[in-house]
Amino acid sequence: MATRTLTGITPSGTLHVGNYFGAMRPAIAAQDLGECYYFIANYHSLTTVFDPEVRRRNTLGIALDWLACGLDPTKSVFWRQSDVPEVCELTWLLGTLTPMGLLERAHSYKDKTAKGIAPNFGLFAYPVLMAADILLYDTTVVPVGKDQKQHLEMTRDIAIKFNQTYGETFVVPEPSIAEEVAIIPGVDGQKMSASYGNTLPIMGEEKALKKKVMSIVMDSRTREEPKPDGEELPASQLLKLFAPADEFASIMDQLKAGGYGYGDLKKALFTHYWEFFREAREKRAELAANLDHVESILQDGASRARAVASEVLDRARRNCGIV
Ligand code: ADP
Ligand code: TRP
């Protein structure tokens, strides 16, 4: 069977440099290697976000960011989850075969409720909706971060149980977990994460982004002091992502030798970071000025996704005896 890669992107806020290198860039590169299905998981966002305007804004923002960064709708199928509501029916079919114990063991549910998010049925059933997302498209591979590994295992368990109970229905997908993907540090040196408030956003206004770069936490060594560990500094790790290799090497040499200060390093970082996303920023502004076009991309994606979804859902309905 041909490879069909699928992943969902939760519209929970603005995207940052960690998301870009950890998730977006590999997903965009995968477009040239096989069939790709990418969707904005707005049904999932209902479990934790309760402001409709925020949801609409984040959903549109994600669409603009991904298209601006190189998601090519002529190569990939890109849609809004809720435009293919078949996924809700499949969630029910799968839910009736999902053991309570399986859901009770879900780390993400335990983590979210421990953080004070009020438990609701949707939050508890989240892994079943995710399984439906994946199984509805005969997906073969799901690239996800480590935190989603358990959800993938649950998806496989549910698919196998359905197939055993009602006969061969679903493709059992393989996870693709990039264990070794570098963890991009944030401005405080910890893992860059929306929930730590330490991000460098991929889009934004020049002054605000510069301020963020200038706020990167450094030690107290003076400009003159040699810094033999220069390459390990979070600011250097960030610079490495954006600067040409020869320029990066030359800056590392200067840091080691002494006479190159943290202000210089941050200025170089800002220059390259700003330049790196220039084209995407321009593309985003063009897209934002033509929202009808963006909507038509999502609608076209939804109709292509729906063609697959309705076939798979029919198969599932027939096999379990509701038609
Ligand atoms: P956040 O931690 O900001 O909430 P998510 O958990 O929503 O980010 O992650 C979305 C995607 O971005 C995942 O595939 C994840 O692996 C990737 N990602 C997030 N932060 C980083 C980071 N600091 N370094 C590398 N990849 C990251
Ligand atoms: N739960 C995923 C996350 O929080 C998003 C997601 C929803 C997803 N449905 C999916 C990822 C299906 C992969 C496949 O990041």
Side-chain angles (χ1 to χ4, degrees):
M1 186 188 292
T3 304
R4 181 173 289 166
T5 304
L6 172 142
T7 201
I9 307 137
T10 313
S12 50
T14 48
L15 294 167
H16 55 73
V17 165
N19 298 142
Y20 179 79
F21 288 100
M24 296 172 85
R25 199 167 68 164
I28 286 162
Q31 297 183 118
D32 294 316
L33 307 174
E35 270 189 307
C36 291
Y37 280 62
Y38 298 138
F39 67 93
I40 308 172
N42 58 345
Y43 279 146
H44 284 267
S45 77
L46 284 164
T47 61
T48 51
V49 175
F50 300 97
D51 181 331
E53 269 321 304
V54 169
R55 187 173 355 274
R56 279 193 200 102
R57 195 175 342 116
N58 286 346
T59 303
L60 176 63
I62 298 273
L64 291 173
D65 288 347
W66 276 77
L67 291 167
C69 286
L71 190 148
D72 181 347
T74 65
K75 292 184 188 161
S76 301
V77 183
F78 184 46
W79 75 103
R80 209 171 13 220
Q81 185 183 30
S82 58
D83 287 338
V84 187
E86 282 84 347
V87 76
C88 293
E89 181 173 345
L90 186 59
T91 301
W92 182 252
L93 303 191
L94 300 179
T96 56
L97 286 182
T98 306
M100 284 297 284
L102 192 73
L103 295 178
E104 276 159 2
R105 285 192 295 276
H107 307 307
S108 73
Y109 177 76
K110 288 192 250 178
D111 292 350
K112 285 177 182 164
T113 50
K115 271 193 202 142
I117 296 177
N120 58 53
F121 168 76
L123 196 65
F124 190 65
Y126 185 111
V128 188
L129 176 57
M130 183 157 160
D133 286 329
I134 296 168
L135 302 179
L136 189 57
Y137 299 98
D138 283 344
T139 303
T140 60
V141 182
V142 186
V144 283
K146 256 192 220 163
D147 59 322
Q148 298 294 320
K149 187 170 177 222
Q150 193 191 32
H151 288 153
L152 252 291
E153 284 159 4
M154 291 163 115
T155 301
R156 289 171 56 87
D157 287 351
I158 296 169
I160 291 167
K161 180 125 183 235
F162 197 102
N163 289 348
Q164 280 169 350
T165 310
Y166 296 123
E168 264 328 290
T169 309
F170 296 118
V171 174
V172 181
E174 296 293 334
S176 155
I177 293 157
E179 307 268 351
E180 73 297 341
V181 166
I183 294 191
I184 315 288
V187 297
D188 58 358
Q190 281 194 81
K191 177 195 153 164
M192 187 180 293
S193 169
S195 41
Y196 301 151
N198 63 355
T199 65
L200 294 181
I202 62 170
M203 297 289 166
E205 198 262 314
E206 185 168 5
K207 247 187 164 166
L209 297 192
K210 191 165 197 174
K211 206 168 152 196
K212 289 210 177 237
V213 169
M214 291 303 163
S215 76
I216 294 177
V217 179
M218 309 300 289
D219 54 62
S220 59
R221 281 176 290 181
T222 63
R223 183 190 178 93
E224 277 60 44
E225 273 177 83
K227 302 162 189 80
D229 57 343
E231 208 156 330
E232 288 148 39
L233 299 168
S236 302
Q237 289 170 35
L238 289 164
L239 179 66
K240 196 172 184 176
L241 300 169
F242 301 117
D246 51 347
E247 187 178 339
F248 177 74
S250 140
I251 291 177
M252 291 305 107
D253 288 345
Q254 294 176 68
L255 269 177
K256 276 178 207 154
Y260 191 89
Y262 291 147
D264 305 322
L265 178 61
K266 288 180 182 180
K267 269 192 210 130
L269 170 58
F270 176 72
T271 305
H272 287 291
Y273 158 52
W274 182 250
E275 227 14 76
F276 188 89
F277 291 111
R278 176 183 296 282
E279 211 183 305
R281 241 179 354 255
E282 289 168 1
K283 179 97 193 283
R284 193 185 199 278
E286 274 169 35
L287 290 161
N290 193 355
L291 293 181
D292 289 348
H293 174 59
V294 175
E295 186 56 33
S296 75
I297 290 173
L298 293 173
Q299 290 297 333
D300 175 60
S303 76
R304 287 157 72 198
R306 207 160 189 180
V308 180
S310 57
E311 236 177 72
V312 179
L313 182 62
D314 268 356
R315 199 194 300 152
R317 291 173 121 236
R318 241 181 296 118
N319 290 358
C320 73
I322 56 171
V323 277

